[in-house]
């Protein structure tokens, strides 16, 4: 269990992370999402013990950052946003060196390197000097060093940065594989990556946590969108009386059409259609809202921090 409680990090007067709390259970794949500068990298540096919180606590099981940092770091595999590599080394030499730093016993290092090369699809680059590699291959070397010692927590900061489409698909598959034996935290500003591999998303904005939700829950709370040819005063009473509709919000007029957003159960859609047709309204559209991270992110950008909790 990873537990963050009221974590804050300041740099002088600047607050990079502001009173963030959440917990992660073993085996979860959690996406840490936010615009550039939202505080994602600072939070990851605190999770890995490279920075200590200005306030608050970070615990991993019964261990605490600050008091037990070394013991926590031994359990973590970390890919920083700009992974430091030794360009004059070959890939295999670098990974053997990293295996020693991670405390892998000498007799097991060759096997650990071979396994990491295989999982990151780097076997054919094992003897290549790192300076000859493309940015995407260097990124994969960074991932390989993070998983050498089979950590039970893997933290990846922008893991698909610089990868081509085929490599991105391979990285997604690797993350799914890692989740079978480790807790995985993925930081990114790319919405599609979170949707592709994560079970849960934590969104930061200006250093504050503005959303913490499971991906399946986000889709479950989608609104039913109805477009009619009649004005609010006439349509609202009819829509409000439909079984399964909890609330009706008028979204505005689009020419002669008027759109309404209904807080309703999935089973309410046929009843809404019947009620509208029986009332003699022209029904131009009836569908559930597209409820992916892209639309949610846009909603979060439009509202204040105090209102964010009502969006999801």
């Amino acid at each position: 269990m990873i537990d963050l409680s009221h974590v804050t990090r300041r740099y002088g007067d600047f607050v990079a992370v502001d009173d963030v709390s959440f917990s992660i259970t073993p085996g979860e794949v959690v996406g840490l999402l936010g615009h550039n500068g939202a505080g994602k990298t600072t939070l990851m540096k605190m999770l890995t013990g490279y920075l200590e919180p200005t306030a608050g606590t970070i615990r991993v099981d019964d261990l605490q950052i600050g008091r037990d940092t070394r013991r926590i770091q031994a359990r973590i595999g970390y890919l920083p946003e700009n992974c430091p590599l030794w360009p004059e080394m070959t890939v295999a030499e670098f990974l053997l060196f990293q295996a020693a730093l991670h405390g892998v016993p000498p007799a097991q290092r060759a096997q650990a390197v071979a396994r990491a090369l295989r999982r990151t699809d780097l076997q054919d680059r094992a003897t290549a000097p790192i300076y000859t590699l493309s940015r995407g291959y260097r990124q994969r070397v960074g991932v390989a060093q993070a998983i050498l010692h089979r950590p039970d927590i893997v933290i990846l900061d922008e893991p698909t940065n610089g990868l081509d489409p085929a490599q991105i698909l391979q990285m997604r598959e690797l993350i799914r594989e890692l989740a079978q034996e480790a807790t995985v935290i993925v930081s990114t500003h790319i919405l599609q990556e979170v949707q592709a591999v994560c079970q849960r998303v934590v969104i930061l904005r200006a250093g504050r946590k503005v959303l913490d939700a499971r991906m399946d829950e986000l889709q479950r709370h989608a609104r039913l969108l109805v477009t009619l040819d009649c004005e609010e005063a006439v349509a609202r009473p009819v829509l409000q009386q439909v079984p399964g509709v909890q609330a009706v919000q008028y979204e505005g007029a689009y020419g002669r059409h008027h759109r309404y957003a209904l807080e309703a159960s999935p089973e309410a859609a046929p009843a809404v259609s019947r009620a509208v047709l029986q009332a003699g309204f022209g029904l131009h559209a009836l569908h559930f809202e597209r409820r992916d991270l892209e639309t949610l992110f846009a909603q979060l950008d439009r509202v204040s921090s105090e209102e964010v909790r009502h969006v999801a």
Side-chain angles (χ1 to χ4, degrees), residues 83-109:
C83 184
L85 303 173
W86 280 260
E88 69 280 0
M89 286 184 171
T90 67
V91 172
E93 288 170 345
F94 174 75
L95 293 178
L96 282 169
F97 175 58
Q98 290 294 318
L101 294 181
H102 281 304
V104 178
Q108 300 175 19
R109 288 174 192 168

Side-chain angles (χ1 to χ4, degrees), residues 7 87 109 123 192 240 269 279 305:
V7 172
R109 288 174 192 168
Q123 300 100 310
Q192 294 90 335
Q240 287 177 329
S305 297

Side-chain angles (χ1 to χ4, degrees), residues 2-3 31 44 70 88 90 99 136 143 149 165 197 216 221 227 229 270:
I2 302 170
D3 182 69
M44 286 199 157
R70 293 284 186 179
E88 69 280 0
T90 67
V143 175
H149 54 306
V197 300
D216 53 0
H221 293 150
T227 303
D229 64 357

Side-chain angles (χ1 to χ4, degrees), residues 54-67:
T54 305
T57 58
I58 299 175
R59 295 181 179 274
V60 177
D61 296 332
D62 59 345
L63 307 177
Q64 182 175 320
I65 290 291
R67 185 188 68 201

